[in-house]
Amino acid sequence: MDFGLSFALQLPRPWTEHSESELFGSALDQVELAEELGFDYAWVLEQHFLEEYSHSSAPEVFLAAASQRTSRIRLGHGIALLPPAYNQPARVAERISTLDLVSGGRVDLGFGDSKSRMELEGFSIEPADRREMTVEAAEQIADMMALEPYPGFTGRFFAMPARNVVPKPVQKPHPPLWMACSDDESVRAAARLGVGALIHTFFDADEAEKVVRDYYDTFRNECVPIGRAVNPAVATMEPFYCHRSATVAHDRGRAAHGFFTYAARHYYAFGRHRPGFTNLADNFRRVEKLVGGDIPVRGGHSIGTPGAVADRLHALEAAGVDQVILLHQVGDLTHEQVADSLRLFAADVLPGFAQDRDRLRPRQEELAPYVRAAFERKSWASAPRRAEVEVCDAYGLSRPDVEMAMLESLPPATREIILDLQKLKAAALQLDP
């Protein structure tokens, strides 16, 4: 089983003018530490306007910085919001390819759409259409990274003429694809599309085993790949805090993840928000008093001593989970507390899990015929032949000629530049583009 970390860049109030720069600096230090400790993935979310809960609105910039401080750990852009009002598909393809280049081919692309009205209405996205928008865009983004040139597309939510989208990624045909999943049907949808499932926390190993089995059964029988390669895998996000003292782990970890839980429910379930003024941290403490106790952490978790955390994670591994993504930086946990927790996990828990990449071979071999069948179901767009690509005017060749009378009124140096440009244009127009 692989292990990753999830960077939501959470920042409860109160803030100072240095709070965000300190947050980003600490998070980059944590990515570097994660690689040193042997973690496999660093996942960074894309979320907008979610004050205190997530200040991660430009994950591609953060991951680019992280790529220059690491050499091995995989960089998960998870998730990129794909409805075109958030991100025009070609821009996503360009950014992911560039990130793959500067990282030496270490990017995984997770995608989704968000349920929060703060985000959807902030970008004027119709909630009922968001998932269809996402699937339409994801397929085109994969084609843009794989095809030279991209043949163009006209769909319900997105249209673009033929263009060669550059640069191309290191990983061919494109980086591995994942999809955010919040319920059983979305997990099956990920399997049908041939992409990895990024799942919220499982309550227990029995639930995990059922979901994993359902995912792989659906993949075997119904997959029609959305991309040019498949990525059959199940990953789950796990609330995490590790300490040798069970009391400290409970008190400190539950308080931090209690804030995460409250903030998530504020933005995704019941919150009313006044942008720039609502104070989630204060409201969290007030709500705790009103309900008469701690806000419980949703579902199962890996909050506890190394032994308790290891027991939980071994159960998930036995259930068939391919990757656990530890939600490690939440609430008011300090950078030092986060780093100590990660070091303790790496020292006392991680060695108990196989790190042999050959462990994946049996599943890959078992799935191979199903992968071939999945690609046989796919109707492929292909890179067009030269004659099939419509010639289009580029900016410089569409400029009008300048009248001689106007030329005579210009300074000599300007007149010479324009005459040279007209000669170049006349010669270029004789070529077959």
Side-chain angles (χ1 to χ4, degrees):
M1 189 165 68
D2 288 333
F3 288 96
L5 297 181
S6 176
F7 291 82
L9 300 176
Q10 194 159 103
L11 190 63
R13 284 182 168 91
W15 302 334
T16 71
E17 62 180 313
H18 304 295
S19 294
E20 288 182 317
S21 60
E22 291 170 354
L23 169 70
F24 277 74
S26 294
L28 286 170
D29 289 343
Q30 289 162 23
V31 177
E32 195 170 353
L33 176 63
E35 176 169 274
E36 176 187 328
L37 295 176
F39 284 88
D40 302 289
Y41 285 80
W43 290 93
V44 184
L45 306 171
E46 178 188 347
Q47 295 174 314
H48 301 277
F49 319 130
L50 307 188
E51 302 168 77
E52 300 185 64
Y53 177 67
S54 174
H55 289 230
S56 182
S57 55
E60 68 281 359
V61 178
F62 180 90
L63 287 169
S67 76
Q68 302 308 292
R69 297 176 60 164
T70 58
S71 60
R72 178 196 59 79
I73 195 167
R74 292 197 63 83
L75 304 173
H77 195 311
I79 58 171
L81 298 175
L82 294 195
Y86 288 129
N87 292 294
Q88 200 271 2
R91 293 290 294 118
V92 177
E94 291 167 342
R95 293 201 306 260
I96 295 300
S97 294
T98 301
L99 182 58
D100 205 46
L101 287 164
V102 300
S103 68
R106 290 187 281 141
V107 175
D108 280 50
L109 173 58
F111 60 83
D113 47 62
S114 179
K115 295 180 179 178
S116 173
R117 292 179 65 177
M118 291 294 292
E119 295 182 286
L120 293 167
E121 293 176 4
F123 285 89
S124 300
I125 294 167
E126 177 57 49
D129 294 331
R130 71 186 196 279
R131 289 183 180 173
E132 190 176 345
M133 291 176 178
T134 297
V135 172
E136 181 178 271
E139 183 171 33
Q140 298 310 306
I141 290 166
D143 280 352
M144 289 173 188
M145 289 189 282
L147 298 180
E148 188 172 352
Y150 171 66
F153 176 76
T154 299
R156 182 180 172 194
F157 304 105
F158 164 74
M160 179 176 158
R163 292 291 187 271
N164 192 23
V165 180
V166 292
K168 300 298 185 190
V170 173
Q171 298 176 93
K172 305 299 182 186
H174 50 66
L177 302 178
W178 301 76
M179 188 175 89
C181 301
S182 58
D183 53 36
D184 290 349
E185 180 49 42
S186 58
V187 172
R188 288 189 286 271
R192 292 186 192 104
L193 298 174
V195 302
L198 295 170
I199 302 173
H200 291 299
T201 307
F202 292 121
F203 282 91
D204 54 33
D206 288 341
E207 182 195 16
E209 185 176 13
K210 175 183 178 298
V211 171
V212 170
R213 183 172 60 251
D214 194 20
Y215 172 90
Y216 279 104
D217 285 347
T218 303
F219 177 85
R220 292 182 185 95
N221 298 312
E222 302 178 39
C223 176
V224 179
I226 195 172
R228 300 275 162 165
V230 294
N231 180 39
V234 174
T236 183
M237 185 182 294
E238 185 83 353
F240 167 76
Y241 182 71
C242 192
H243 197 278
R244 293 200 185 280
S245 166
T247 300
V248 172
H250 178 275
D251 293 347
R252 190 179 288 168
R254 287 297 189 95
H257 283 281
F259 172 78
F260 177 89
T261 299
Y262 173 78
R265 290 174 177 170
H266 171 84
Y267 284 116
Y268 296 103
F270 55 67
R272 299 180 68 245
H273 196 86
R274 197 182 301 273
F277 293 95
T278 296
N279 188 315
L280 282 190
D282 278 353
N283 288 353
F284 164 63
R285 288 184 284 269
R286 291 163 63 192
V287 166
E288 281 192 316
K289 291 180 180 178
L290 289 171
V291 301
D294 293 343
I295 294 175
V297 178
R298 182 184 66 177
H301 59 78
S302 291
I303 300 171
T305 64
V309 170
D311 288 345
R312 162 77 177 176
L313 296 177
H314 278 299
L316 293 178
E317 182 180 47
V321 173
D322 298 294
Q323 181 180 165
V324 169
I325 303 169
L326 301 177
L327 182 58
H328 72 294
Q329 179 266 319
V330 293
D332 59 1
L333 290 175
T334 66
H335 171 65
E336 290 72 23
Q337 290 168 343
V338 167
D340 288 345
S341 174
L342 295 178
R343 291 190 181 99
L344 180 60
F345 177 88
D348 287 16
V349 180
L350 198 56
F353 291 85
Q355 297 296 300
D356 182 3
R357 294 297 168 185
D358 286 344
R359 74 192 190 283
L360 299 176
R361 286 182 181 173
R363 177 171 278 174
Q364 292 171 340
E365 292 172 358
E366 187 269 329
L367 290 177
Y370 300 101
V371 172
R372 289 193 293 272
F375 281 113
E376 288 172 0
R377 300 185 194 108
K378 175 76 173 182
S379 176
W380 293 104
S382 58
R385 295 187 296 270
R386 178 185 177 89
E388 297 171 333
V389 179
E390 183 179 349
V391 175
C392 55
D393 286 337
Y395 173 74
L397 300 185
S398 63
R399 295 179 65 175
D401 292 332
V402 180
E403 298 291 339
M404 287 303 298
M406 182 182 298
L407 276 177
E408 293 174 357
S409 66
L410 296 176
T414 304
R415 187 185 312 133
E416 184 177 347
I417 291 171
I418 292 175
L419 289 171
D420 285 344
L421 178 61
Q422 289 182 335
K423 291 178 183 178
L424 181 61
K425 175 181 177 178
L429 286 176
Q430 298 179 49
L431 304 178
D432 177 7

